[in-house]
Amino acid sequence: SPEAQTGAAPTATTPTSTTPTATTPTAAAPPHGEARLVAPGVTLTHVPWADPTAQALRVEQQDEIEGIYDGQGDVCQQLPDEEMLTTVLLHVDGQVAGSGALRDGSTYGTGTAELKRLFVRPAFRGRGLSGVVVGEIERFARLRGLQRIVLETGDRLTAAIALYSSRGYDRIPNYGPYADDPSSFCFALDLRGD
């Protein structure tokens, strides 16, 4: 079942213009609630999974998915708080623009985490912002010493598929709750290779 809706990804690792980009993996993730400027007007904030703004974005994301898939939402509607490693909020010029999260994925292999609920609001798409959120999640995973990120997206979510492919994610056999879902496309990124 589908999960992510995204836009195009940036390729640079440091901001050189007003286009936001992912940051280098050497800086520590800020504490929950502390915003980090990643490009002019673009901030990322790590918050708990239960953060009300993040919850509202997840509702928007699932509503959009249900619209694309004729009323069918994600197979995993409820995700346990205790399994969530971080949630990233994206703000553009002070406005909430998107979010994404990282879940403990050790059930899928040692050192594995799962990217969940990536979403950028429609008004902010086409600027590479989903790649900024994914880049921050990847950075956090590396800082935690994780070895691999897995994720699921839907076959109709072509922008998401393009984003993950452009960031080096490889298509893998469907896993866990998505194993028998033909509309699911699963991907993985090996964090040890770079």
Side-chain angles (χ1 to χ4, degrees):
S1 145
E3 173 161 317
Q5 180 67 37
T6 63
T11 56
T13 57
T14 57
T16 57
S17 70
T18 58
T19 302
T21 59
T23 59
T24 60
T26 55
H32 279 177
E34 183 180 320
R36 185 166 59 86
L37 184 68
V38 294
V42 179
T43 60
L44 297 171
T45 309
H46 288 258
V47 298
W49 176 251
D51 177 87
T53 302
Q55 288 177 336
L57 285 167
R58 290 193 298 271
V59 169
E60 287 180 41
Q61 187 251 10
Q62 288 298 295
D63 288 347
E64 184 172 309
I65 295 300
E66 288 177 11
I68 293 169
Y69 282 89
D70 306 318
Q72 178 186 356
D74 193 290
V75 170
C76 298
Q77 289 290 324
Q78 302 299 319
L79 299 172
D81 286 359
E82 65 274 8
E83 293 181 8
M84 305 312 293
L85 303 175
T86 194
T87 301
V88 176
L89 286 181
L90 169 73
H91 287 82
V92 176
D93 297 327
Q95 297 181 44
V96 177
S99 64
L102 193 66
R103 177 186 189 188
D104 178 355
S106 58
T107 57
Y108 306 125
T110 302
T112 299
E114 185 178 23
L115 192 151
K116 301 299 288 183
R117 304 293 193 263
L118 180 64
F119 179 70
V120 171
R121 285 180 161 161
F124 296 95
R125 292 184 187 157
R127 304 182 202 181
L129 295 169
S130 56
V132 172
V133 176
V134 172
E136 179 68 6
I137 289 170
E138 292 168 358
R139 187 177 77 86
F140 178 89
R142 286 182 178 98
L143 290 170
R144 292 282 301 256
L146 295 166
Q147 299 171 8
R148 185 171 83 130
I149 296 175
V150 296
L151 64 90
E152 181 272 345
T153 191
D155 59 352
R156 297 180 191 173
L157 304 178
T158 56
I161 294 166
L163 169 70
Y164 300 131
S165 297
S166 75
R167 294 193 67 85
Y169 287 77
D170 294 315
R171 181 92 188 268
I172 60 172
N174 288 0
Y175 63 87
Y178 310 107
D180 297 322
D181 187 342
S183 68
S184 287
F185 282 15
C186 293
F187 292 85
L189 178 68
D190 185 345
L191 298 171
R192 298 167 293 185
D194 44 38

